[in-house]
Amino acid sequence: PHAPVTVLLHACLPPHASKEGILRILAIIAQSLTSPSLDSQVARECIIPTFALLSHSERGIRERALGLLEQYPSVVKKEDKILSDICSKATDKSSPLRSMLVMDGANALPGLLSQIVLSSGVPSSSVVSLQKFLIESCQSCALNKNGCQASAVILSSMEKAGETAFPLSKRWEFAGKELFKAFLGMENDDDEEPTSLPSSLCRLRDVVISMMKGVLVNEAQGGDNDGLNIQISIGPSSTGRRMRSYSIGASEESFTTLEPYPEDMLQAILKALSSSKTSPLLLSKHVVQLVLVRNSWANGVFPKLSRKSRNDVVSALLALRTRGNDELAGSALHGLPLKSPDFIQLLEGVDASKSEMDQAAIVFITDCVRGKLEVLGGSTDISKLSSKLFDQLLSLSSVENSSATSEGGDSGGRDYTRVSILQTLFTIHSHYKSQLSKPLAINDGRSKHGSAVKRKRTRSHSDAGSDPKMASQANLLVGLVGGNTSVIHPLNSGRGRALSLSLLTCLCEESPSAVVTSLLPALMSLAGASPTTSHGDTKTPERKVDMKSLADALVAIVPAYCTHAPLANLSLFSLLESFVGKIIVPNCETNEKWRATLLDHLVDSLKLLPTKNSSSDAIASLAACVMALQAFNIQKPKTATHDADSDMSDTTDHNSETRLDVRVLANTTSGVKIAVSLSLLQYAEKLMSYICGLSAFSAGESSFGNMKVGMSEVAALALRGGSTGEERSTPSSVAAYSELSEAQQRSILYLATNLLQSVRDTLSTPASRRIVRKSKGDDADLCLRLWNELMQTHTSTLRAQHAKLADGHHMNSTEKKFWDAAPIATGDCLDSLQNLLPVPHFLASVSSILTDDDEDTTSYIHKKKIIKLLADRVAEVSYDSPEASLFLEMVPDLVAQVNIDQSTAADGEDSVSSIRRTIVMKQGALIAIESFVRSLYPLAENGKLAANAAAVFLPALASVTKLLDNTASSWIKANGNDGSEVASGVVDAQCQLLSSSSLCVSTLVTTLKARCLPQLPTIIKPLVTSLKSVNALLEDWNDQAASTGQLLQLSILKTLQAIAETMPQFLLPYLPLVFSDNALPSRSLRQGYEQGDHSIRTAVVQVETALATKVQVRQLIPALSQALSRNLRSEDSVNWQEACSIINVMNIAVESSQRSDLSPIIGKIFNGLVMAYGYEGDDTSRPKMLLNANKCLLSLVMKLSEAQLRPLYARLREWRGDIEDETEGGSIRRYAFWSLSAELSKSLRSIFLPCLTSVLTDVIDELEIAVSLLCQRTKKADGSKRRRVEETDGSVEDMDRMKSLQPLLLCLESALKADAHEGGDWTRGDDNQRYNMILNHLGKLLLAQVPKEIPLLSDLTPKEQASTSAYQQLVQGVGTLEHGNVVGCLTALAAAAGNEQLWKPLNFAVLEACGHKRSEVRKAGISCLLFIIETIGEEYMVLLPECLPVISELLEDDEEIAAMAKDCVRQGEELLGESLEDSLR
């Protein structure tokens, strides 16, 4: 009957309840409490929800709740002392807690509960009773359907009240345990989703689960916070209020946990983890989230659990992660402090070969192991963990297990699991390498210098046989990379194979003797050849080998093998004999590209050896073994068509595989190339001594314990090839050379030849030259050692060669070729090393060779090579480097080669050969001197370095200049004799020497500049004389002359350019010579050759530009004028091309000069141009001469003022002469005058109008002459045939008088256009008389009869010109728009006139032409009208009515005329904006 009071109280607790509603309900409850029928049970049921209301956010509600607590004692029976005490303590008005509850109930409630239980004077039994009463009341309230919110609030406050007030053990015993059982007992309601659970139930669940953390809240945490890191975050709570969240972290003393951890609490965790994921409360998820992932539980509780309990928790989390795919469970598992024993127990509970779930579990376990790498424990436990992982790997990789579980072979999941295991194993063995390694004697097998030494191993320290499991693990890894496919499934991924190989390397370092024996079988298996396969077996089945896997295998295995092989009684030779002998050079057909690539990877692996010396020795041994096995292959039977002694190549291989050793050396790093060459040279020296019978191979020689194969082992390979097992070749089995068969001797000779050639090729590479040249310290010592070895080998080879020849012993062709090739190979090595020596040694060797007086062929070849090496070497030296002074000391030796007298040679054939050799030596010395000058002369002219360099190079310049003079004289003399007295080969060589000396002089002049002035006369005269000679030679050029002369032309031009740019102020005495006939202006420098013409023309332009811009114009112009005058007034045929080139230089000089510089020499320029204008040439040369002259004149005019222009133009008019002069010279001058006038008018525009005014009468006179000659009226006659004949066949008496008409029209048109642009004042001058005079004559010319013979300039092609009449070109302007015509001149006149009054007579003249009876005149008239309308536009439309009748008639004319008439109509309509159709009817 009293249940409604409790129900009403619980209705006030939901967060969504309103304040007004709660207050009304509390008022009702307060009223009902006055009823005398209420008993103590009602108060007991109401106490927990009432306390919960004290944490409400509204103050009024908290005050009402306190009022209810004050009323409860009246309801409680007297014997119910506990309830009365609770209510009285809660409502004590003298206590400060009451005011705190009123102000902040949520934070004061834990203090209230603590005060109720721990108030002073309370006996301990009463405390327990109060604790039990309140906690059990929370349990009872929670088990009520509506009491979850109240219980959650009070239990949470009890936790905050502290461990003293409400111990965690009691909270769990009296409430938490039963509530959690209730949670576990809840069945999933199909109609209720987990997300629809009441928030009060979820909050209670979280409070109960939080108890499982086992963390005790001590009072100390609420006091002094020293050492604590407290983070407070504020956010909404499930009740809707703001709440604080505390995160406390510090030392281990900052919190405590239950000890021992209650068993029922642990069982509750395990039951929660195993509960269904569909449970409405999601217990497993929240237990993991609120308990297991917390550091307090992981670090405070979990380590103190028993091993079985820990395993149960970890196994449950693993199952939840792998089977339930719960990532949070995985995070919790990662956070637990697991060690090796824990992981071992986990691994014992899974079998990855049976299910994919177990494979997923293995992957997760391995991830955890890698995450806990630092805390796995001791080495014993780690070793056991490694073994357990290897067991799982074997189970996954076994062919037997995989075939039983999957029919399709290896799956992606299985391969991924194995890679994860491998990665974990590699991480473990890499991190704990020192703990897991077996102890070694004597400093871990290393000397103090870091090099490998042979290690003594006692029985106590030996790992041989002590760990057979390690050997089985190594075999498993070999199988994973493809070494044993019948038992182990190989890995599919490259990453997995790389991990296998890296792990195998780690195992080798831990237990060398147990693992290293597996390395060689691993290489053999990967390469596709079993180590037990016999040498002659060619039926080995083909296998597809993954080259990347093989490369990774070599990089991982070979360095480990070389480091630890001595511990297993193996050596580098064991590897090379087995691997190289079977794979690189097999006795069966193999893919050549595969073999070469495999060899590259083997070299790369040898580069990774620990020291530079071991790496170089191993690579040299590899190259020697490859050569030896190739030498062995040449013992194979030859085909019937092959001569056994024809050569010493590997006839069984293709060209690509003949020199596999070259590939080895090509892939060697630059740092070890010299060391490898030294080792190969030592092999060659020992082998040469063996061939000569001076030494034998020691029976005890072996490569055991070092990285270099012995020569006896290499020789054994060459004689017997690779072998395995007990058949291995030994030095004792190598007989003396004389006792070998012919085939075996052939192999030994082939091996020796290849060794020498390899040394030569290596030393010839740019990398070797660069490295050794800059070497210091040990590298320099290595270079000197190599030099000494080469000298000894070369001496021994020469001595042995002479001994063989002197002995008279019969030698087959192979031996003859060997003894011929061996000295050459060693000599080439010496030559190559000359450039590799340090500078002092190099220069000393060069000086000794150059000063050698021997004249034999060998000395000549050595000198030629050493000079080239010297030139190459000095190009890399800086002028301010320490070596510069040493190189400067070599210049006199080079000058001595230049000064060699070639006249002392013997007669006959030997004389020609000797002369050619001398010339070649001189050329080499000249080229070297150029390199010296470019590299060693300082950039700054002043200074000690420049003075020192000049002191060296000035004597060199004198010698080179003398050589230039002598060579030029002899070459010119030889050409003058047509080569009859000198052999043609010598003449060509002299020409080349002359070119080389010219280029050397050019470099010296460019560098030394004014210091060369004393040598200038002896430089320029032979240069220009030679240029004139070669130009004359190439006038009638042929292939041979062109090939020998072009280079000389280019060289001389370059030298002249250098002189002009460096010493222009001193060239005045030599300018007449430079611009003389057949010199610089020669047409042979501008004519086309099949090759090189462009470069020669470019060089000519550069020289001319240098002379025109550098030489002072007051010095240059007189010389050019004299040269031009001399050229144009020559009694011989004038070379107009040379005259044009001179005018071009003059033009460049004028353009680049200032006006003040030109004033004194205008007369000189004028005289030269006048001579050019008066040139009487043909129709080809005359226009080009005028073009160049006009260009030069225009450049001059542009530099003058208007005041200077008018007198100059008046002088040109005076030079032109009288208009009536009918001589040929007069016509030429008139034509030239009007041509230059047209050019000036076009360029100067309105500036030229005053000049044109001065010759206006001449213009009118010229037009009158044209009218008088072209406008003769024909007699009237009946019939059109007579008229047509007269129109087309009319002629004038003198066509030369008409040449000037076209440039005159062009001049007048340009002037009128310029005047039109300025407003037309000039045209309308003299009261329009000027306009009328011009119009009168131009209008008449529209009706002219132009004979076909009149000379005209046009842009028409010959074909177009044949179909175009002279009238169309001269009058209508067809093809002559840029050359002058009548219509264009009339159009410009109309534009300049500018008003209707002046347009009317012009329009009348045009319309008269439009109505003419001759069709070509009508066409010219209508085209003129169309041009005028288009040019003037709308202003001309005032005259359109006068034009329409004529246009109307022309619309019915022939097609072309009618089309132009229509264009006129269309233009008029567009300008007027109306149709003219009615006006045309």
Side-chain angles (χ1 to χ4, degrees):
H2 307 293
V5 175
T6 306
V7 173
L8 288 175
L9 273 174
H10 286 299
C12 296
L13 290 171
H16 55 77
S18 65
K19 174 182 177 182
E20 292 78 8
I22 295 174
L23 291 174
R24 293 182 63 184
I25 291 174
L26 292 178
I28 295 172
I29 294 174
Q31 183 66 30
S32 64
L33 289 177
T34 61
S35 174
S37 60
L38 295 177
D39 57 8
S40 299
Q41 184 62 32
V42 173
R44 284 177 175 269
E45 293 176 355
C46 293
I47 192 68
I48 295 300
T50 304
F51 272 120
L53 284 174
L54 291 176
S55 65
H56 201 280
S57 59
E58 294 293 335
R59 176 175 177 173
I61 295 174
R62 294 196 297 273
E63 290 176 346
R64 288 290 182 90
L66 287 172
L68 291 179
L69 290 175
E70 291 175 348
Q71 288 183 278
Y72 287 157
S74 64
V75 181
V76 177
K77 296 179 181 181
K78 293 182 179 181
E79 60 271 14
D80 198 348
K81 190 174 186 329
I82 294 177
L83 188 59
S84 299
D85 291 342
I86 292 173
C87 291
S88 62
K89 293 176 181 178
T91 57
D92 185 6
K93 294 182 180 180
S94 63
S95 173
L97 276 174
R98 181 180 179 87
S99 61
M100 293 175 62
L101 288 170
V102 173
M103 299 303 297
D104 188 5
N107 290 327
L109 183 57
L112 174 62
L113 295 176
S114 177
Q115 180 177 332
I116 291 173
V117 176
L118 301 177
S119 59
S120 60
V122 178
S124 60
S125 59
S126 299
V127 171
V128 174
S129 298
L130 287 172
Q131 291 173 342
K132 184 177 180 181
F133 172 78
L134 290 173
I135 296 172
E136 287 181 344
S137 297
C138 288
Q139 174 189 337
S140 301
C141 183
L143 294 177
N144 185 2
K145 186 174 182 180
N146 298 319
C148 294
Q149 179 70 18
S151 296
V153 172
I154 299 304
L155 287 174
S156 178
S157 298
M158 288 178 178
E159 179 183 5
K160 297 176 183 177
E163 184 66 16
T164 304
F166 296 97
L168 175 59
S169 59
K170 294 187 180 299
R171 283 187 281 128
W172 173 255
E173 179 183 358
F174 297 145
K177 179 169 58 175
E178 295 301 325
L179 289 177
F180 197 80
K181 287 181 180 179
F183 295 154
L184 290 173
M186 291 182 63
E187 294 181 358
N188 187 25
D189 189 355
D190 295 337
D191 297 332
E192 184 179 10
E193 297 294 333
T195 56
S196 64
L197 288 175
S199 60
S200 58
L201 180 59
C202 293
R203 183 177 182 185
L204 179 62
R205 174 201 61 198
D206 294 344
V207 172
V208 173
I209 290 177
S210 296
M211 297 180 189
M212 298 181 184
K213 288 192 295 183
V215 177
L216 305 181
V217 180
N218 300 317
E219 286 77 8
Q221 296 178 357
D224 188 8
N225 291 332
D226 292 342
L228 293 179
N229 179 16
I230 304 175
Q231 297 180 356
I232 305 176
S233 60
I234 302 177
S237 68
S238 58
T239 61
R241 299 171 59 249
R242 305 287 289 180
M243 67 172 292
R244 295 183 180 90
S245 175
Y246 298 86
S247 176
I248 304 174
S251 61
E252 294 182 356
E253 291 80 9
S254 297
F255 67 90
T256 56
T257 58
L258 279 175
E259 290 187 19
Y261 192 75
E263 183 64 26
D264 51 2
M265 195 177 288
L266 177 62
Q267 295 301 320
I269 290 177
L270 295 176
K271 290 179 181 179
L273 294 177
S274 61
S275 64
S276 173
K277 289 186 65 176
T278 60
S279 172
L281 291 175
L282 300 175
L283 292 178
S284 61
K285 173 184 176 182
H286 289 85
V287 165
V288 173
Q289 184 175 4
L290 298 176
V291 179
L292 301 184
V293 298
R294 302 304 176 96
N295 289 332
S296 57
W297 193 91
N299 297 322
V301 175
F302 181 79
K304 301 173 184 178
L305 298 178
S306 64
R307 177 171 295 183
K308 180 179 181 304
S309 299
R310 291 200 306 269
N311 186 55
D312 292 341
V313 174
V314 173
S315 299
L317 286 173
L318 181 63
L320 194 62
R321 174 63 183 89
T322 56
R323 301 181 186 277
N325 198 25
D326 190 342
E327 295 185 0
L328 191 59
S331 300
L333 186 56
H334 273 292
L336 296 178
L338 302 177
K339 295 189 176 182
S340 295
D342 299 317
F343 289 117
I344 292 173
Q345 284 192 344
L346 279 179
L347 291 171
E348 289 176 350
V350 295
D351 186 356
S353 64
K354 293 183 178 180
S355 68
E356 293 186 358
M357 287 296 180
D358 286 346
Q359 293 177 14
I362 288 290
V363 172
F364 192 80
I365 291 171
T366 54
D367 290 344
C368 291
V369 172
R370 294 194 297 273
K372 303 294 181 182
L373 190 63
E374 300 291 342
V375 293
L376 287 180
S379 60
T380 303
D381 291 336
I382 295 174
S383 179
K384 291 179 181 179
L385 176 60
S386 173
S387 299
K388 186 61 66 176
L389 288 172
F390 267 110
D391 293 341
Q392 291 288 349
L393 183 62
L394 177 61
S395 177
L396 278 169
S397 304
S398 174
V399 173
E400 180 180 355
N401 290 343
S402 61
S403 61
T405 56
S406 61
E407 298 179 358
D410 191 16
S411 64
R414 181 184 297 272
D415 208 48
Y416 182 82
T417 306
R418 292 192 292 171
V419 171
S420 180
I421 295 174
L422 285 169
Q423 185 177 1
T424 303
L425 284 169
F426 177 69
T427 305
I428 291 173
H429 284 271
S430 299
H431 190 269
Y432 293 98
K433 183 184 299 183
S434 58
Q435 292 93 320
L436 299 177
S437 298
K438 303 299 179 182
L440 298 177
I442 308 181
N443 299 329
D444 196 25
R446 295 282 169 187
S447 67
K448 65 180 179 180
H449 300 292
S451 58
V453 298
K454 186 175 180 180
R455 289 171 286 192
K456 297 180 181 180
R457 301 174 62 87
T458 64
R459 182 63 180 174
S460 60
H461 288 132
S462 176
D463 60 339
S466 63
D467 195 0
K469 184 179 292 186
M470 190 75 75
S472 64
Q473 292 172 356
N475 292 329
L476 170 60
L477 295 175
V478 170
L480 289 177
V481 295
N484 193 0
T485 56
S486 62
V487 178
I488 300 298
H489 264 307
L491 289 162
N492 294 327
S493 66
R495 177 170 172 262
R497 291 190 292 270
L499 284 171
S500 298
L501 296 170
S502 300
L503 181 56
L504 187 62
T505 305
C506 288
L507 294 182
C508 183
E509 296 179 2
E510 294 172 15
S511 181
S513 62
V515 179
V516 74
T517 53
S518 301
L519 298 179
L520 193 56
L523 285 176
M524 296 298 100
S525 299
L526 284 172
S530 173
T532 60
T533 304
S534 63
H535 189 67
D537 185 9
T538 60
K539 298 182 180 180
T540 302
E542 294 184 1
R543 288 177 49 197
K544 292 183 178 179
V545 180
D546 185 352
M547 187 54 65
K548 187 178 185 305
S549 300
L550 191 53
D552 296 339
L554 287 170
V555 170
I557 292 176
V558 170
Y561 176 90
C562 293
T563 303
H564 303 292
L567 301 178
N569 294 326
L570 296 173
S571 65
L572 177 63
F573 181 69
S574 305
L575 172 66
L576 298 181
E577 182 184 29
S578 301
F579 188 76
V580 180
K582 299 293 184 180
I583 306 303
I584 301 298
V585 190
N587 200 17
C588 59
E589 295 182 359
T590 309
N591 182 277
E592 304 304 332
K593 182 179 179 181
W594 177 80
R595 290 168 57 183
T597 306
L598 184 60
L599 183 61
D600 295 342
H601 294 317
L602 182 56
V603 175
D604 292 338
S605 64
L606 292 176
K607 295 176 187 176
L608 301 178
L609 293 182
T611 64
K612 181 178 179 180
N613 291 337
S614 61
S615 179
S616 61
D617 289 343
I619 294 174
S621 299
L622 172 61
C625 289
V626 171
M627 295 181 210
L629 288 168
Q630 290 181 145
F632 170 75
N633 281 355
I634 68 172
Q635 299 181 34
K636 294 168 60 176
K638 307 298 184 295
T639 59
T641 59
H642 188 277
D643 182 6
D645 295 329
S646 61
D647 55 36
M648 291 192 297
S649 64
D650 188 356
T651 56
T652 62
D653 296 332
H654 299 291
N655 291 334
S656 61
E657 61 177 304
T658 300
R659 293 294 304 279
L660 289 174
D661 56 288
V662 175
R663 197 171 186 96
V664 175
L665 300 176
N667 290 333
T668 305
T669 57
S670 300
V672 299
K673 281 185 181 294
I674 303 304
V676 170
S677 299
L678 178 58
S679 298
L680 293 177
L681 186 61
Q682 291 171 348
Y683 281 133
E685 187 176 4
K686 292 179 181 179
L687 196 59
M688 295 282 290
S689 180
Y690 168 73
I691 293 172
C692 295
L694 301 177
S695 64
F697 295 125
S698 173
E701 184 182 0
S702 174
S703 62
F704 181 82
N706 57 56
M707 291 296 105
K708 188 172 182 180
V709 175
M711 189 60 233
S712 60
E713 294 170 324
V714 175
L717 284 179
L719 295 176
R720 294 184 175 85
S723 59
T724 59
E726 300 298 332
E727 300 177 359
R728 179 177 300 171
S729 300
T730 59
S732 59
S733 62
V734 179
Y737 178 77
S738 58
E739 299 175 3
L740 300 179
S741 65
E742 184 175 343
Q744 290 177 329
Q745 291 180 351
R746 174 186 172 87
S747 297
I748 293 295
L749 294 175
Y750 178 84
L751 174 59
T753 302
N754 273 2
L755 286 170
L756 292 174
Q757 289 178 349
S758 299
V759 175
R760 179 194 62 192
D761 295 342
T762 303
L763 295 179
S764 301
T765 58
S768 297
R769 298 171 61 183
R770 183 172 56 255
I771 292 297
V772 180
R773 186 182 306 150
K774 298 179 181 180
S775 62
K776 297 180 181 179
D778 293 340
D779 290 337
D781 295 339
L782 186 66
C783 181
L784 293 177
R785 286 179 55 197
L786 182 59
W787 170 259
N788 292 330
E789 293 284 350
L790 270 174
M791 290 296 294
Q792 294 176 9
T793 305
H794 186 58
T795 304
S796 301
T797 303
L798 291 175
R799 187 183 299 113
Q801 181 191 38
H802 294 157
K804 289 284 185 182
L805 294 175
D807 191 20
H809 177 71
H810 173 71
M811 293 186 294
N812 55 36
S813 59
T814 302
E815 291 179 328
K816 290 179 180 178
K817 289 185 177 182
F818 171 77
W819 290 113
D820 290 341
I824 296 176
T826 54
D828 290 343
C829 292
L830 280 173
D831 292 340
S832 299
L833 195 58
Q834 292 286 348
N835 198 33
L836 298 176
L837 290 172
V839 170
H841 300 80
F842 171 75
L843 294 180
S845 62
V846 170
S847 179
S848 63
I849 293 176
L850 291 180
T851 55
D852 186 8
D853 295 333
D854 292 341
E855 300 294 337
D856 58 354
T857 304
T858 303
S859 177
Y860 160 72
I861 295 174
H862 286 171
K863 288 182 180 180
K864 183 175 69 172
K865 288 184 178 180
I866 204 65
I867 290 176
K868 184 180 184 303
L869 289 175
L870 184 62
D872 294 340
R873 187 73 177 268
V874 76
E876 301 176 3
V877 178
S878 176
Y879 66 87
D880 55 354
S881 64
E883 296 90 356
S885 59
L886 298 178
F887 277 94
L888 283 174
E889 295 175 359
M890 293 299 303
V891 175
D893 291 337
L894 294 174
V895 173
Q897 299 297 320
V898 173
N899 294 331
I900 294 176
D901 187 6
Q902 63 189 37
S903 61
T904 58
D907 298 332
E909 193 71 25
D910 293 339
S911 173
V912 174
S913 177
S914 177
I915 292 174
R916 288 181 59 84
R917 289 182 183 178
T918 304
I919 290 176
V920 171
M921 288 297 300
K922 288 176 181 287
Q923 282 184 279
L926 291 170
I927 294 172
I929 291 173
E930 284 190 76
S931 298
F932 271 68
V933 173
R934 294 192 188 99
S935 302
L936 303 182
Y937 197 87
L939 299 177
E941 284 295 324
N942 299 324
K944 184 177 180 180
L945 293 178
N948 294 338
V952 173
F953 291 125
L954 284 175
L957 175 63
S959 297
V960 175
T961 303
K962 182 179 179 182
L963 175 65
L964 174 68
D965 192 8
N966 295 336
T967 307
S969 300
S970 59
W971 182 73
I972 294 171
K973 181 180 178 181
N975 286 330
N977 295 330
D978 297 329
S980 58
E981 297 180 0
V982 184
S984 59
V986 174
V987 174
D988 294 341
Q990 287 177 340
C991 182
Q992 295 173 7
L993 179 60
L994 186 57
S995 301
S996 299
S997 57
S998 300
L999 292 174
C1000 187
V1001 168
S1002 172
T1003 304
L1004 287 166
V1005 168
T1006 303
T1007 306
L1008 298 175
K1009 296 183 174 58
R1011 292 185 178 92
C1012 302
L1013 187 59
Q1015 303 294 334
L1016 193 59
T1018 55
I1019 293 175
I1020 292 184
K1021 291 180 180 179
L1023 277 178
V1024 179
T1025 306
S1026 300
L1027 181 62
K1028 297 177 69 173
S1029 178
V1030 71
N1031 290 341
L1033 178 66
L1034 294 180
E1035 286 288 345
D1036 299 322
W1037 64 278
N1038 51 55
D1039 292 342
Q1040 181 180 2
S1043 61
T1044 57
Q1046 288 180 18
L1047 179 60
L1048 181 57
Q1049 286 178 322
L1050 286 172
S1051 304
I1052 295 174
L1053 290 172
K1054 183 176 181 181
T1055 307
L1056 290 175
Q1057 179 186 353
I1059 295 172
E1061 291 178 348
T1062 55
M1063 296 181 291
Q1065 63 273 29
F1066 303 108
L1067 286 179
L1068 178 60
Y1070 312 105
L1071 290 177
L1073 179 62
V1074 172
F1075 290 103
S1076 61
D1077 295 342
N1078 228 11
L1080 184 61
S1082 175
R1083 68 183 181 89
S1084 65
L1085 294 173
R1086 296 162 178 81
Q1087 66 185 3
Y1089 301 107
E1090 293 183 358
Q1091 298 177 350
D1093 56 317
H1094 178 72
S1095 57
I1096 293 175
R1097 292 173 183 171
T1098 303
V1100 170
V1101 171
Q1102 292 173 349
V1103 174
E1104 291 178 346
T1105 303
L1107 289 171
T1109 56
K1110 301 294 182 180
V1111 179
Q1112 295 182 2
V1113 68
R1114 60 183 176 80
Q1115 296 178 348
L1116 180 64
I1117 293 300
L1120 292 175
S1121 298
Q1122 291 177 7
L1124 183 62
S1125 174
R1126 185 170 56 251
N1127 189 286
L1128 294 177
R1129 294 178 180 176
S1130 175
E1131 297 180 357
D1132 300 332
S1133 58
V1134 176
N1135 191 342
W1136 63 271
Q1137 291 176 328
E1138 292 192 4
C1140 289
S1141 65
I1142 295 173
I1143 296 174
N1144 181 53
V1145 177
M1146 188 181 295
N1147 177 44
I1148 299 173
V1150 171
E1151 286 181 342
S1152 60
S1153 300
Q1154 300 295 326
R1155 179 184 297 178
S1156 58
D1157 298 332
L1158 292 175
S1159 298
I1161 55 173
I1162 292 177
K1164 296 285 186 182
I1165 301 174
F1166 178 82
N1167 293 336
L1169 293 178
V1170 164
M1171 284 187 289
Y1173 283 129
Y1175 170 68
E1176 301 176 2
D1178 54 19
D1179 293 339
T1180 302
S1181 60
R1182 175 72 183 157
K1184 292 184 179 180
M1185 182 71 74
L1186 281 178
L1187 178 64
N1188 284 274
N1190 287 341
K1191 189 183 299 183
C1192 183
L1193 178 64
L1194 182 61
S1195 299
L1196 176 63
V1197 169
M1198 290 299 182
K1199 298 289 183 178
L1200 302 179
S1201 63
E1202 291 188 43
Q1204 292 174 309
L1205 173 62
R1206 294 175 185 175
L1208 178 66
Y1209 191 74
R1211 290 180 62 185
L1212 289 171
R1213 180 189 181 187
E1214 181 181 356
W1215 165 80
R1216 182 204 64 192
D1218 191 3
I1219 296 295
E1220 301 299 331
D1221 187 0
E1222 298 183 1
T1223 64
E1224 183 178 0
S1227 299
I1228 292 175
R1229 288 194 296 274
R1230 286 168 53 208
Y1231 180 77
F1233 176 77
W1234 293 117
S1235 295
L1236 66 90
S1237 298
E1239 187 68 27
L1240 293 176
S1241 177
K1242 188 187 300 183
S1243 300
L1244 300 180
R1245 300 179 65 80
S1246 60
I1247 298 175
F1248 181 71
L1249 291 177
C1251 296
L1252 185 60
T1253 303
S1254 65
V1255 294
L1256 183 61
T1257 56
D1258 298 336
V1259 172
I1260 302 302
D1261 292 341
E1262 292 279 5
L1263 291 177
E1264 286 181 355
I1265 293 174
V1267 169
S1268 64
L1269 295 176
L1270 299 179
C1271 297
Q1272 297 176 352
R1273 295 183 177 274
T1274 59
K1275 296 180 180 180
K1276 295 183 180 180
D1278 296 331
S1280 59
K1281 183 175 181 180
R1282 168 76 177 273
R1283 184 178 299 276
R1284 284 197 301 271
V1285 171
E1286 290 180 352
E1287 288 176 355
T1288 56
D1289 294 340
S1291 61
V1292 295
E1293 297 177 358
D1294 190 0
M1295 291 296 102
D1296 288 340
R1297 298 183 64 189
M1298 300 304 302
K1299 287 183 179 180
S1300 58
L1301 176 60
Q1302 195 175 15
L1304 170 66
L1305 292 173
L1306 180 61
C1307 174
L1308 190 58
E1309 179 183 352
S1310 301
L1312 292 172
K1313 287 181 178 179
D1315 184 51
H1317 185 71
E1318 298 294 331
D1321 293 337
W1322 183 87
T1323 303
R1324 297 188 295 271
D1326 297 335
D1327 196 16
N1328 298 330
Q1329 292 182 12
R1330 199 175 291 167
Y1331 170 82
N1332 292 327
M1333 287 189 297
I1334 297 173
L1335 173 61
N1336 183 31
H1337 294 88
L1338 292 179
K1340 292 178 181 179
L1341 289 175
L1342 274 177
L1343 310 178
Q1345 293 180 348
V1346 183
K1348 294 184 292 184
E1349 294 80 4
I1350 187 172
L1352 296 172
L1353 295 177
S1354 70
D1355 297 326
L1356 299 175
T1357 63
K1359 184 177 180 181
E1360 293 172 340
Q1361 198 163 6
S1363 60
T1364 305
S1365 66
Y1367 178 88
Q1368 289 176 300
Q1369 297 179 54
L1370 180 63
V1371 179
Q1372 189 176 344
V1374 178
T1376 57
L1377 295 178
E1378 300 296 329
H1379 303 282
N1381 59 85
V1382 176
V1383 170
C1385 199
L1386 275 172
T1387 305
L1389 181 64
N1395 59 63
E1396 178 184 354
Q1397 182 182 359
L1398 297 178
W1399 286 334
K1400 284 187 177 182
L1402 186 147
N1403 189 57
F1404 177 79
V1406 172
L1407 294 179
E1408 183 182 3
C1410 292
H1412 201 274
K1413 295 182 180 181
R1414 287 164 49 201
S1415 61
E1416 60 181 5
V1417 177
R1418 294 196 303 274
K1419 186 185 299 183
I1422 191 64
S1423 65
C1424 183
L1425 180 61
L1426 179 60
F1427 288 151
I1428 292 173
I1429 293 175
E1430 290 175 346
T1431 303
I1432 298 176
E1434 186 176 357
E1435 296 178 5
Y1436 198 77
M1437 290 299 98
V1438 296
L1439 301 177
L1440 185 60
E1442 300 178 8
C1443 303
L1444 289 178
V1446 177
I1447 293 175
S1448 177
E1449 293 180 3
L1450 294 179
L1451 288 173
E1452 299 176 358
D1453 211 320
D1454 60 52
E1455 183 178 353
E1456 191 172 356
I1457 296 175
M1460 286 190 284
K1462 290 179 181 179
D1463 289 340
C1464 291
V1465 174
R1466 179 179 56 79
Q1467 288 286 344
E1469 290 177 344
E1470 290 179 358
L1471 293 172
L1472 294 174
E1474 60 183 20
S1475 175
L1476 298 176
E1477 184 177 355
D1478 295 338
S1479 301
L1480 293 173
R1481 291 177 180 175

